[in-house]
Amino acid sequence: MVLMLDLIVQGAQMVLVLLLAPLLLGYTRKVRARLLSRRGPPVIQPYRDLLRLIRKEVVLAENASWLFRSGPYMIFAGTWVAAALVPTFATGLQFSWTADLIAITALIGSSRFFLALVGMDVGTSFGGIGSSREMMFASLAEPAMIMIAFTVALLAGTTQLSVIAHFMLTQGSLRVSLGLALAALVIVALAENARIPVDNPATHLELTMVHEAMVLEYSGRHLAVLEFAAALKLLLYLSLIGCIFVPLGLASPGSGPQAYVVGLASYLAKLAVGGFLLVVFETSIAKMRVFRVPDFLGIALMLGLLGMLLLFVSRSF
């Protein structure tokens, strides 16, 4: 009976991230429109867009291979698994032992790898440009994520997210190294989600777009799956920030239904605040040139490295 309840709670978390990902995207769009003195689309508009794309017929290029057809599903699967492993409203769930920060980084990297492959599969110039830029950014974003993981692991003694969240909640304190790691993670999140100042998901200008260039040839249900995966990735990074640096409200293992309700309410509040801050940052800064992005991600790499070194030196003395 206890095992069944644990599986139900774990399944609820997997379904929760699916339900909230389009809602978070619609929320950010609505807040952005309000800040720009526009009415904006409804919050549930991403759900409507996904349903509309699913109903549309798929148009495939003549030279599209099996990878082009199956790539969106592999990208979605990897992103969904990574997002479902991050503790959202509770720690110590049935599969929490798999929620390793390095494993999640590997899942994100695998999804990025398949996205770059499908971008080059058809052989269009846009797809090649987008894939090459994505790999250029990934060469700095992934090492920065590893440095962030090492910084947190040196402090908590593990890379398992449930243990990290419990440590931060019970023994965590204000540290310079944690501040540096948080700043690095925010920069990586902006780059990975193709947000301003790295990329603008609302444009199709060939000189600037990165993510949109790789999915430009997709349509129908394939495009719906890719858009869903992009929304899941945004939810994933906000969940990571909330789990590691703001673990307030997370239900501990063996807690009752009331603790789960409190954890869910706190998680929704974290997403709302994180989405609002993201939009405020985007509307207050201009998009940078593509060739300045490596410098931007280099800052994240250096911040992660400095945070790890500071923590290592402080522990040595």
Side-chain angles (χ1 to χ4, degrees):
M1 187 64 181
V2 176
L3 177 61
M4 185 61 67
L5 290 176
D6 290 341
L7 290 175
I8 290 175
V9 175
Q10 182 69 69
Q13 175 168 287
M14 298 181 68
V15 176
L16 179 67
V17 295
L18 281 180
L19 296 177
L20 290 181
L23 184 64
L24 175 63
L25 190 62
Y27 169 74
T28 56
R29 291 175 179 174
K30 188 70 173 181
V31 173
R32 180 184 177 87
R34 289 297 186 181
L35 291 178
L36 297 177
S37 301
R38 293 188 288 108
R39 182 177 180 181
V43 177
I44 61 172
Q45 187 61 42
Y47 296 102
R48 299 175 180 174
D49 294 339
L50 292 175
L51 291 175
R52 174 175 54 84
L53 289 173
I54 290 174
R55 296 192 188 103
K56 282 191 173 183
E57 181 183 357
V58 176
V59 179
L60 292 174
E62 294 181 356
N63 58 339
S65 67
W66 64 270
L67 181 64
F68 188 82
R69 294 187 292 271
S70 60
Y73 302 104
M74 292 187 286
I75 295 168
F76 175 80
T79 309
W80 183 23
V81 171
L85 290 179
V86 179
T88 55
F89 61 89
T91 60
L93 298 182
Q94 186 64 28
F95 299 122
S96 62
W97 59 274
T98 61
D100 187 271
L101 192 54
I102 296 179
I104 290 175
T105 304
L107 285 170
I108 298 173
S110 300
S111 299
R112 184 193 302 109
F113 172 73
F114 284 115
L115 183 60
L117 283 183
V118 299
M120 296 185 296
D121 185 76
V122 180
T124 60
S125 58
F126 278 1
I129 290 174
S131 297
S132 64
R133 290 173 177 174
E134 182 73 11
M135 289 297 100
M136 178 180 64
F137 300 161
S139 64
L140 291 173
E142 289 186 4
M145 280 295 297
I146 296 298
M147 292 298 104
I148 296 168
F150 287 167
T151 302
V152 177
L154 282 173
L155 186 62
T158 180
T159 55
Q160 190 177 0
L161 285 174
S162 290
V163 180
I164 292 172
H166 181 71
F167 176 85
M168 294 295 182
L169 191 59
T170 57
Q171 306 178 40
S173 59
L174 294 177
R175 294 173 179 264
V176 176
S177 56
L178 284 180
L180 295 176
L182 174 59
L185 184 56
V186 170
I187 293 175
V188 172
L190 291 173
E192 289 283 358
N193 289 281
R195 312 294 297 198
I196 296 174
V198 176
D199 191 15
N200 187 358
T203 184
H204 285 83
L205 183 62
E206 63 177 294
L207 295 177
T208 61
M209 62 180 177
V210 180
H211 177 268
E212 293 297 319
M214 293 182 286
V215 303
L216 201 58
E217 297 298 319
Y218 278 104
S219 60
R221 63 178 182 276
H222 293 157
L223 182 58
V225 172
L226 287 173
E227 293 293 338
F228 208 158
L232 276 171
K233 183 182 283 191
L234 178 61
L235 181 77
L236 164 63
Y237 276 95
L238 288 182
S239 300
L240 266 179
I241 294 173
C243 173
I244 298 175
F245 300 100
V246 195
L248 300 176
L250 283 174
S252 57
S255 301
Q258 184 177 1
Y260 289 142
V261 173
V262 173
L264 178 59
S266 64
Y267 178 61
L268 294 177
K270 293 173 192 175
L271 291 182
V273 174
F276 179 79
L277 294 178
L278 171 65
V279 175
V280 169
F281 177 78
E282 284 188 321
T283 54
S284 61
I285 194 171
K287 184 188 175 302
M288 65 178 62
R289 296 174 56 194
V290 173
F291 297 107
R292 296 288 302 275
V293 176
D295 298 334
F296 185 63
L297 285 172
I299 295 174
L301 179 58
M302 290 298 103
L303 288 176
L305 181 60
L306 283 175
M308 185 186 66
L309 291 177
L310 282 175
L311 197 57
F312 182 77
V313 170
S314 63
R315 284 183 166 243
S316 299
F317 292 98

